[in-house]
Amino acid sequence: MSQNSLFRKKTVESIMAQVRANEASNDTPGLKKHLKIRDLIAFGIAAIIGAGIFSTIGQASAQGGPAVIFLFLFTALASGFAAFAYAEFASMVPVAGSAYTYSYVAFGELIAWIIGWALIMEYAIGNITVAISWSDYLTTMLEQIHIQAIGLKGIHLPDWMQMDYLSASKGYDQALQFLKNGGNLKDLEPMLIQAREAWLTAPIIGSLHLVLDIPALFIIVLITWLVYRGIKESRNASNAMVIIKLAVILLVIAVGVFYIDMKNWTPFAPNGFSGVLKGVSAVFFAYIGFDAISTTAEECENPQRDLPRGMMWAIIICTVLYIVIALVLTGIVPYDQLAVGEPLAFVFQQINMPKMTFIISISAVVAMASVLLVFQMGQPRIWLSMSRDGLLPKRFSKIHPKYKTPSFATIVVGFVVAIPALFMNLTMVTDLCSIGTLFAFVLVCGGVLVLQNKPDVPRGSFRTPYVNAGYVLPFVFLGALVYFYNSNELFKYFQFNDWSSFGQKIPSLIFWAFTLFLTIVSLPKKLSLIPSLGLLSCLYMMSEIPLQNWIYFGIWLLVGLVIYFTYSRNHSKLNLPKTL
């Protein structure tokens, strides 16, 4: 293959030789190996049990009713199929690059760059979102503090310190227009009142109103410092936070089970199958963190054995907790009341248990911080791998001589997350994070299929169990067609009145076309079933995300391609006459 090819590949041998050379070199030292299987499981739980169980589970339950548990099962299966593919690659190539490195081996450099660039969006936007959510939960928790002995009844941060600049500016303009039109201040929405107050009371430098989300900045700085100091410190903090939030979740289940009214579980699926699937993006957002475990491969004591087990156990434990919590929530109050931002706290407010509400608020603060910790660890390690390959500047692969962490990349990630979190209140972030992650999952599953019949590729100790997809996929495809035909859902994909409605069908048409293609190919190629199902289930969830997010994702990828062709391709280590 030509060295100038866009799809030039790295071999497993060259990647492992580079890792060994880094570990032996004083100039490019390796990462410290501190992680065992219990730490990987804890990282997985830390990443998965966060916004999903404290926030998005409410909206998903309101749309799907108690039957939302089937959505959690479906999402867990899709994540589990993808986890098999991740585990096989992690066992084969136990390095820090995650899906980026796996794609380099399976598809070549251009696809590897695209997936690395997609993961940058996933982690960056996800971290900004989690930091802003953490700030909201913290301010709510502080206002609930009541210590009678010292006469403390809540701690209220000034509004200009707990809101982003754009929300305050826009909210103030809306409030001003409302008042100019003769409205009364007391009739304003609470968010507009808060935005107006933040804008009016904020310190002013020149004409600039200093409205900053200070709590979001605080948690980003704290987490970045932890990640910078070392994997051991990050591991200890993660383990402690996981213990706290698991204890609170088990307490919620133990208390809530006595308040379940089984009448609330009827009807079980009030909006049918389509209602359950409406929450697919929000529910999948809860699972996206498990892939961050694979970025710690170089810091594991035994990555070939422990990474696959850590991923699987994390998904299983979290799925069981999500299902039980969903049943408790929908059993205590009717499902249609759960479309709130803090469903766990809301449920216990309805049964008049304010102490439980406060405990849940504390746990939510801890849970959000643990998610941010794992994501802040994952991003620098992907940049580290891309820099080692020459696709990013050399400084991103710098390892701290004492802490053995990717120091420069960690600091840059801190700035990339902290600055937008101060000034922005992002919308549609759940869908954008999900589409980037699902894209990575699709390529990792596809990578296993590409490499399955190549005997010259070295294999790790873990292999995805093989079942011939040609014996199963045709029946699954025909069964899906029959189901959608009988439910009159199939014709909806081909019914559109104008170009706008046609555009909204494009993601679904892509899914059906690729499903047909993979089903046909699976017969002569004898493709493996598990990665095939992982690819199709993740692609299906992508098809459920609105077209506008596909467009934004496409724009992001185009920006990445410009960078690749103007810098990365020319600086790639595979461009050099001699490579490892």
Side-chain angles (χ1 to χ4, degrees):
M1 182 175 292
S2 170
Q3 289 285 11
N4 293 322
S5 170
L6 294 175
F7 301 99
R8 53 198 175 195
K9 299 177 181 179
K10 295 194 74 174
T11 64
V12 174
E13 294 91 342
S14 68
I15 294 172
M16 298 311 299
Q18 184 183 43
V19 172
R20 290 191 293 269
N22 289 337
E23 291 175 347
S25 171
N26 292 326
D27 297 327
T28 56
L31 303 171
K32 283 186 176 180
K33 297 183 180 296
H34 282 300
L35 303 180
K36 300 179 180 178
I37 185 169
R38 64 174 181 271
D39 304 312
L40 296 174
I41 294 173
F43 277 140
I45 295 173
I48 297 172
I49 301 291
I53 210 161
F54 289 99
S55 180
T56 56
I57 192 174
Q59 187 65 41
S61 298
Q63 293 171 335
V68 74
I69 64 172
F70 296 118
L71 182 55
F72 281 112
L73 284 172
F74 172 72
T75 308
L77 279 174
S79 299
F81 292 147
F84 271 105
Y86 267 90
E88 180 165 338
F89 269 117
S91 178
M92 184 193 312
V93 197
V95 296
S98 184
Y100 157 76
T101 301
Y102 309 155
S103 296
Y104 220 142
V105 173
F107 299 109
E109 185 172 279
L110 179 61
I111 303 301
W113 167 264
I114 289 173
I115 198 62
W117 188 249
L119 289 174
I120 288 174
M121 184 190 73
E122 173 205 336
Y123 283 108
I125 294 181
N127 289 352
I128 293 166
T129 310
V130 173
I132 294 172
S133 298
W134 185 90
S135 174
D136 294 339
Y137 273 102
L138 178 71
T139 52
T140 300
M141 184 197 73
L142 291 176
E143 291 178 355
Q144 293 176 345
I145 292 176
H146 177 70
I147 305 177
Q148 189 171 0
I150 60 175
L152 179 63
K153 294 184 178 180
I155 300 173
H156 178 75
L157 297 178
D159 291 319
W160 61 270
M161 290 179 60
Q162 56 174 295
M163 179 172 284
D164 63 278
Y165 180 90
L166 294 180
S167 291
S169 176
K170 184 178 179 180
Y172 172 76
D173 291 340
Q174 291 178 349
L176 186 63
Q177 188 63 42
F178 178 80
L179 295 175
K180 283 183 178 179
N181 291 335
N184 294 320
L185 185 61
K186 64 179 181 179
D187 295 327
L188 275 174
E189 297 178 8
M191 284 300 297
L192 294 182
I193 293 176
Q194 184 182 13
R196 177 178 179 274
E197 183 67 18
W199 191 258
L200 293 175
T201 59
I204 301 176
I205 299 179
S207 59
L208 177 65
H209 291 245
L210 291 181
V211 182
L212 305 170
D213 196 338
I214 300 299
L217 175 64
F218 166 77
I219 191 60
I220 293 169
V221 170
L222 176 62
I223 294 297
T224 302
W225 174 78
L226 263 177
V227 173
Y228 182 88
R229 282 296 303 270
I231 191 66
K232 189 175 182 179
E233 289 76 10
S234 300
R235 176 199 67 187
N236 294 341
S238 173
N239 291 347
M241 287 188 283
V242 166
I243 290 172
I244 292 172
K245 66 181 177 182
L246 284 182
V248 172
I249 289 170
L250 293 175
L251 177 64
V252 167
I253 294 171
V255 174
V257 72
F258 292 102
Y259 293 87
I260 290 176
D261 183 354
M262 292 189 180
K263 293 180 181 178
N264 290 329
W265 288 342
T266 303
F268 198 72
N271 298 314
F273 184 67
S274 60
V276 172
L277 288 178
K278 283 183 179 178
V280 67
S281 172
V283 168
F284 181 74
F285 184 70
Y287 280 91
I288 66 176
F290 90 83
D291 67 318
I293 303 174
S294 64
T295 67
T296 66
E298 286 185 45
E299 291 148 296
C300 297
E301 293 183 359
N302 190 342
Q304 286 90 348
R305 181 195 67 190
D306 293 344
L307 274 172
R309 296 179 183 180
M311 290 181 190
M312 298 303 176
W313 277 113
I315 290 175
I316 292 170
I317 292 170
C318 294
T319 300
V320 171
L321 291 175
Y322 275 133
I323 289 174
V324 175
I325 285 289
L327 289 174
V328 169
L329 292 181
T330 55
I332 295 177
V333 300
Y335 72 91
D336 56 0
Q337 297 180 17
L338 290 172
V340 295
E342 301 174 18
L344 267 67
F346 169 78
V347 163
F348 283 97
Q349 286 173 354
Q350 299 305 299
I351 56 178
N352 195 26
M353 297 186 69
K355 289 184 179 179
M356 281 295 296
T357 301
F358 181 64
I359 292 173
I360 290 169
S361 296
I362 295 174
S363 180
V365 170
V366 173
M368 294 291 184
S370 69
V371 174
L372 189 61
L373 173 64
V374 177
F375 274 46
Q376 286 290 93
M377 283 196 317
Q379 180 70 90
R381 283 153 179 80
I382 293 175
W383 285 0
L384 166 71
S385 291
M386 297 176 76
S387 176
R388 283 174 174 172
D389 296 331
L391 304 187
L392 289 178
K394 188 176 180 180
R395 293 198 67 184
F396 284 92
S397 57
K398 180 181 179 181
I399 303 295
H400 194 283
K402 178 180 179 181
Y403 302 131
K404 305 297 183 185
T405 58
S407 52
F408 179 77
T410 299
I411 293 172
V412 172
V413 168
F415 277 104
V416 167
V417 177
I419 293 175
L422 279 175
F423 299 101
M424 299 176 65
N425 188 3
L426 301 178
T427 57
M428 295 181 294
V429 288
T430 300
D431 284 346
L432 281 174
C433 285
S434 295
I435 197 171
T437 309
L438 286 165
F439 185 64
F441 287 6
V442 165
L443 284 183
V444 172
C445 291
V448 171
L449 296 176
V450 168
L451 297 180
Q452 74 169 41
N453 294 322
K454 294 187 177 181
D456 57 324
V457 177
R459 300 290 177 176
S461 57
F462 180 85
R463 292 289 299 272
T464 302
Y466 177 79
V467 176
N468 191 333
Y471 297 148
V472 179
L473 281 188
F475 297 102
V476 173
F477 183 71
L478 291 175
L481 285 179
V482 170
Y483 171 80
F484 282 105
Y485 176 82
N486 290 334
S487 61
N488 294 322
E489 292 285 334
L490 185 62
F491 297 106
K492 293 181 181 179
Y493 291 112
F494 303 99
Q495 292 176 349
F496 36 84
N497 300 320
D498 50 37
W499 285 109
S500 176
S501 59
F502 171 74
Q504 297 301 323
K505 305 290 184 181
I506 290 177
S508 295
L509 294 175
I510 291 174
F511 165 75
W512 282 106
F514 194 84
T515 301
L516 178 60
F517 167 77
L518 195 66
T519 301
I520 295 172
V521 169
S522 67
L523 295 168
K525 295 292 185 180
K526 298 180 180 179
L527 298 180
S528 178
L529 179 63
I530 290 178
S532 297
L533 291 176
L535 190 157
L536 291 178
S537 57
C538 291
L539 188 60
Y540 174 75
M541 287 191 284
M542 285 183 71
S543 73
E544 289 294 308
I545 296 175
L547 179 65
Q548 61 183 353
N549 293 288
W550 284 65
I551 295 173
Y552 295 145
F553 182 60
I555 293 172
W556 175 258
L557 293 185
L558 286 176
V559 172
L561 288 175
V562 171
I563 296 174
Y564 173 75
F565 284 107
T566 56
Y567 175 87
S568 303
R569 185 165 184 251
N570 297 326
H571 289 80
S572 169
K573 294 288 181 69
L574 295 185
N575 250 350
L576 301 178
K578 292 183 180 181
T579 59
L580 289 174

